Amino acid sequence: MDKFKLMEEHNYEQLCFFQDKGTGLKAITCIHNTVLGPSLGGTRFWNYATEDEAVVDVLRLARGMTYKSALAGLPLGGGKSVIIGDPYELRKDPIKREAFWRAFGRYIEGLSGRYITAEDVGTHTQDMVYVNMETNHVVGLPGRSGDPSPFTALGTYKSMLACAKHVYGDADLKGKTVAVQGVGNVGYYLCELLHKDGANIIISDVNEERIKQCVDEFGVEVVGINDIYSVDCDIYAPCALGATINDDTIPALKCRIVCGGANNQLKVAKVHGKALQDRKIIYAPDFLTNAGGVINVSYELAEGGYNQEASLRDIDRIYHRMLDILRISEETGQLTFETADQMAEERIAAVRDIKSILTRR
Ligand code: NAD
């Protein structure tokens, strides 16, 4: 694998490898872009089959964070870490677990604040507490901004309201049918908001306990995991897996809107974004829709400490940003995610320009 070639392709700033033989820690951090501010992104702990697979994942995820934070208007760049291994094995040994995460914390400290970490798939708040024993460049700590999922769900809901306004002329989900795929952390809180609004909810999940909770609390209808794509609904909300918008599922969709919290919903962005547009289905770009969590966690870095009111105001803005994107893409014929990409890139370019003011001749 030619790593420099991969980095040049999307202008990545830095790719760092770290190992600690004693604890077995093998970590890779990618800093994609720090023009808008220090890079921020969670640490994914995953049993990658190969080192190359981990590198490709960290590069893709770090770049995604640059766009997510840029579009959300945050003073942050994009970065991400991956750890190669089995998080469940590590949790069985509390002494090793502390040492492992403190070793990771020392490594993050060595990046001098160019990268700020947080929890992600396979990591736990307690792991971040250990990281924090060695560095302050970590967010999502207990007693501060807390679990990001309700905020991610809230942002997703705001994005959905904007899509409803664009398609039906009214930012109202009462009586609309929403098919929620995955009622884990984000999907559950989204159902709660939809239920309050009087929407009809159809769900699918592989976790029976989660399903029961949603049936009991919100009176949802349940369908099989492969049936969620073809149910009669107004909105399909992917809140579980990536790449569920693909050649197999697009022909089955009966919705007018795709808007959910999952990352990387389009299997091949250009191909499947275009296929949705051809079917006149509105696609809410995922990295804007699910930015509520990163917006909330970023407020831990604000002067004076975490401020939930300010965070909620910022999450509210997802509504207007989504409306802008839908309007522009309708006027230009651009795919919605391309419009969103362009807005993020324009912001980065403008700030890059002002950063050279004092060195310009
Ligand atoms: P989670 O693991 O809590 O929930 C995922 C749910 O999907 C689980 O209940 C799981 O049983 C279910 N699921 C798994 N396979 C399924 C299938 N084939 N069909 C239906 N359901 C299935 O994860 P989460 O934190 O809720 O995140 C959900 C998605 O949102 C992920 O793509 C994640 O990357 C993205 N996301 C989450 C956050 C956040 O704040 N948690 C922020 C941004 C993006």
Side-chain angles (χ1 to χ4, degrees), residues 266-277 335 337-338:
L266 301 172
K267 185 164 186 196
V268 182
K270 243 194 145 98
V271 174
H272 298 114
K274 176 78 172 66
L276 284 181
Q277 191 187 49
L335 300 177
F337 86 84
E338 289 174 333

Side-chain angles (χ1 to χ4, degrees), residues 44 61 65 68 80 119-121 147-153 156 180-189 203-208 210-211 223-226 228-229 238-242 244 260-265 286 289-294:
R44 184 162 290 194
L61 292 165
M65 288 308 297
K68 192 180 290 199
K80 200 89 182 181
E119 224 185 289
D120 197 74
V121 176
D147 177 8
S149 311
F151 301 91
T152 302
T156 304
V180 181
Q181 180 183 43
V183 287
N185 292 322
V186 175
Y188 169 81
Y189 289 114
I203 65 160
S204 70
D205 201 299
V206 289
N207 183 328
E208 291 298 330
R210 282 295 197 170
I211 290 177
V223 296
I225 53 167
N226 293 321
I228 194 80
Y229 305 109
C239 293
L241 317 162
T244 63
N263 279 315
N264 304 313
Q265 294 166 24
D286 46 18
T289 297
N290 67 22
V294 73

Side-chain angles (χ1 to χ4, degrees), residues 71 321 324-325 328 339-347:
L71 199 56
R321 229 169 264 133
D324 284 347
I325 286 170
I328 295 168
T339 306
D341 275 4
Q342 195 178 320
M343 281 171 133
E345 284 161 10
E346 278 170 5
R347 181 171 171 235

